[in-house]
Amino acid sequence: MHLTPDQILRHLRRANEVARTAMARGKHPFGALLVAPDGETVLLEQANVDTVNHAEAVLARVAAHRMASDELWGCTLVTTVEPCAMCAATQYWAHIGGLVYGLSERRLLELTGNHAENPTLDLPCRTVFGAGQKTIDVVGPVPEVEEEIAALHRGFW
């Protein structure tokens, strides 16, 4: 993964706009992008669908269906919130080699509490990836955008 700090911020803000659009449609405010190895090209955008079709997992499944694993290994999944265990595992199996997230899962848990539609796990994605046989490059949380992302969740749950 070779995203510059400016690319990271730009892509996280775009993912947050995807999340904002999802929220406007009554969906949970999560958004994800698949960024090509060039660090500029956005190959896919995905909002949350429902409680079991999270933005990151849906994006990873679509990407794995459309692209070869060696192509995906050079790509980066950029998402507003740290992937849950399901989403991290889906990214791992899809062979997407990089991850950038803005807000930690633990911080999301603080914002949502024990919400029936989002019973957040306190299980870092690095722990999920660490149990695997390949290394996923992870950047996050990103302090410069945490409050922008948290604001959507603060107003939603």
Side-chain angles (χ1 to χ4, degrees):
M1 178 176 59
H2 303 289
L3 298 182
T4 68
D6 286 342
Q7 289 171 325
I8 288 170
L9 293 177
R10 185 166 19 92
H11 291 312
L12 281 169
R13 287 187 170 118
R14 177 63 200 144
N16 205 38
E17 286 305 310
V18 172
R20 186 182 315 282
T21 300
M23 186 173 71
R25 294 181 178 147
K27 304 291 185 182
H28 299 166
F30 299 96
L33 312 175
L34 183 66
V35 178
D38 67 6
E40 287 294 324
T41 307
V42 175
L43 301 170
L44 294 170
E45 292 186 351
Q46 181 64 53
N48 224 54
V49 177
D50 56 36
T51 58
V52 296
N53 290 292
H54 298 176
E56 303 87 352
V58 172
L59 182 142
R61 284 186 206 104
V62 169
H65 180 73
R66 292 184 183 173
M67 299 172 67
S69 59
D70 61 329
E71 292 176 285
L72 286 171
W73 190 248
C75 293
T76 303
L77 193 157
V78 177
T79 184
T80 53
V81 178
E82 180 177 9
C84 70
M86 173 182 69
C87 292
T90 306
Q91 176 180 351
Y92 177 86
W93 288 108
H95 303 290
I96 299 170
L99 171 68
V100 172
Y101 66 88
L103 187 74
S104 73
E105 182 89 341
R106 182 164 288 164
R107 178 86 188 278
L108 178 66
L109 179 59
E110 293 169 6
L111 294 167
T112 63
N114 188 21
H115 196 282
E117 292 183 26
N118 196 42
T120 303
L121 297 167
D122 188 9
L123 179 60
C125 67
R126 285 176 174 91
T127 301
V128 175
F129 294 142
Q133 298 181 47
K134 56 188 173 185
T135 302
I136 306 292
D137 293 325
V138 180
V139 173
V142 178
E144 295 89 341
V145 295
E146 281 185 274
E147 189 49 41
E148 297 168 41
I149 294 167
L152 288 185
H153 292 276
R154 199 173 291 111
F156 185 83
W157 305 101

